[in-house]
Amino acid sequence: MTARILSIGTALPDTRVEQSTLRDLFAAQPGFDRKSQRLVGAAFDAAAIDTRHVVLPQLAGRAADGLGVRDGDTLLMPPTGARNDEYRRTAPALFAEASRAALAGSGYEADAVTHVVTVSCTGMFAPGPDYHLVRDLGLSPTVERYHLGFIGCAAAIPALRLAARIVGADPAAVVLVACAELCSLHWQTSSHPDQIVAASVFADGAGAAVVASGDSSHDGLDLDDFATHVTDEGEKDMAWTVGDSGFEMTLTPEVPRIIGREISAIAADVVGELDRVDAWAVHPGGRSILDRVENALGLDATALAPSRDVLRRHGNMSSATLLFILRDLLADAARVEGDRIAALAFGPGLTVEAAKITVRRAAG
């Protein structure tokens, strides 16, 4: 039995902020010399991002309760505990909003959900997001719950793989997959190039999908196959560790170079014949990553338009981002019955996750 994504819901924090506003704020930090300021300007301007959403209104210059991250134009460095408290306060609502939207389009009521898979790498607490979804959505107290943490930007694909395995073993299962990331909580006011690059791309958002056995009465995305690949290099180039002042992201310039060098062989291995792919859902870790993938695979300039559009409007929302791209592909009337989608995402390791997906349109 093939598992199918029946619907995808998304959610964003209320605060929408221009990339130029964040650039100017970050460049104005005390202790940044002219070289650092030029690096900030170059990184933010080259990111191909127009706007991002954040759970911290102070980043947009608005007064707000909760975590204090700004004193005038000076960004503060709250301790990790305070940042995690803000995650615990704000993340459950985004998980719930995206999940309600996914359920609303799936044809299933909340009491039909049999399994919950939650994903996040930007906070932790127990009972966690999986538990809160049971309470917030009124799910059955007997729902099986799983949480995937610290897999990073690639995590939506392992979550969908787990959902597909569950449905494959139990065709009556209805699996709710929900990803939420609050990357803005972990901004580091450092002039180190890695931290500048991280600050220039990461944003907040949530996505959810309902996965179940498909039938001809409902549009959807069949989850046909999955693969994972660990590259020979990159273990130290993309990393996510817990520091005293938030989670510390390492994202070096080697990441797009490694992906550019290795993605052709990996894609041929895990996706198969590339000329049989009708659409691409590539996680936009940054503009340079998309450029490297496009060039290495010899793709048409429009092939990664869905990924570039999500990056432009929302930034890199870590694990949630891929669900935004798949949502847009599912809603695209140009995607017809039988179209083949190749999904690729990149996480710490450096790990490449891939999925083969087929578009299904309701009969008639």
Side-chain angles (χ1 to χ4, degrees):
M1 179 64 67
T2 300
R4 180 175 299 176
I5 297 176
L6 298 178
S7 60
I8 297 174
T10 58
L12 294 163
D14 292 336
T15 300
R16 177 175 174 266
V17 58
E18 300 286 334
Q19 177 80 342
S20 58
T21 298
L22 295 174
R23 175 201 64 205
D24 294 346
L25 173 62
F26 205 76
Q29 295 315 295
F32 279 33
D33 58 19
R34 290 184 179 180
K35 179 180 178 181
S36 297
Q37 291 171 343
R38 286 196 299 270
L39 183 57
V40 169
F44 278 70
D45 291 345
I49 295 170
D50 290 345
T51 56
R52 288 185 268 170
H53 288 76
V54 295
V55 294
L56 300 172
Q58 290 182 358
L59 293 178
R62 302 172 193 164
D65 297 330
L67 183 67
V69 296
R70 186 171 178 177
D71 182 8
D73 286 336
T74 300
L75 288 169
L76 306 177
M77 289 284 283
T80 301
R83 299 180 195 236
N84 197 63
D85 286 346
E86 188 70 7
Y87 174 90
R88 184 174 183 174
R89 187 178 75 86
T90 56
L94 285 172
F95 273 107
E97 183 181 348
S99 298
R100 289 191 185 100
L103 280 169
S106 72
Y108 284 105
E109 298 296 331
D111 60 6
V113 173
T114 59
H115 299 73
V116 168
V117 179
T118 53
V119 175
S120 191
C121 66
T122 49
M124 58 184 76
F125 61 95
D130 51 323
Y131 169 90
H132 281 268
L133 279 179
V134 172
R135 292 288 188 249
D136 294 343
L137 272 61
L139 306 182
S140 167
T142 62
V143 163
E144 291 186 22
R145 311 191 321 267
Y146 305 89
H147 181 73
L148 304 183
F150 272 76
I151 301 177
C153 295
I157 292 180
L160 292 173
R161 181 171 60 221
L162 174 57
R165 300 286 190 260
I166 292 170
V167 172
D170 178 5
V174 177
V175 186
L176 173 63
V177 173
C179 307
E181 305 288 8
L182 307 186
C183 303
S184 69
L185 296 180
H186 300 290
W187 262 30
Q188 305 290 317
T189 56
S190 166
S191 60
H192 191 284
D194 290 356
Q195 298 304 325
I196 291 174
V197 170
S200 73
V201 297
F202 284 105
D204 304 344
V210 174
V211 179
S213 299
D215 59 54
S216 61
S217 66
H218 203 289
D219 285 357
L221 300 172
D222 278 0
L223 298 170
D224 299 321
D225 199 9
F226 296 88
T228 188
H229 186 101
V230 177
T231 63
D232 293 333
E233 301 177 78
E235 182 178 349
K236 297 181 180 179
D237 294 295
M238 185 189 294
W240 197 235
T241 58
V242 179
D244 292 334
S245 297
F247 297 174
E248 298 172 1
M249 180 67 184
T250 299
L251 189 65
T252 78
E254 284 301 308
V255 170
R257 294 172 191 154
I258 294 168
I259 291 171
R261 286 196 301 267
E262 302 204 23
I263 195 61
S264 293
I266 294 172
D269 181 44
V270 303
V271 176
E273 298 179 28
L274 303 188
D275 58 359
R276 299 186 68 234
V277 174
D278 299 301
W280 291 85
V282 178
H283 175 78
R287 179 195 57 79
S288 59
I289 289 178
L290 294 178
D291 290 346
R292 295 277 183 164
V293 171
E294 181 181 289
N295 292 334
L297 299 184
L299 300 180
D300 181 88
T302 63
L304 300 186
S307 298
R308 294 187 188 278
D309 185 56
V310 169
L311 179 67
R312 178 182 59 80
R313 292 183 289 121
H314 304 303
N316 179 354
M317 300 168 285
S318 191
S319 67
T321 317
L322 191 72
L323 291 176
F324 279 70
I325 299 167
L326 291 176
R327 174 204 62 186
D328 291 348
L329 289 172
L330 179 58
D332 184 0
R335 301 268 63 89
V336 299
E337 167 71 22
D339 271 4
R340 293 160 296 232
I341 299 172
L344 295 171
F346 316 101
L350 186 64
T351 303
V352 180
E353 296 286 354
K356 293 181 184 179
I357 298 170
T358 303
V359 176
R360 295 301 179 198
R361 296 304 186 193

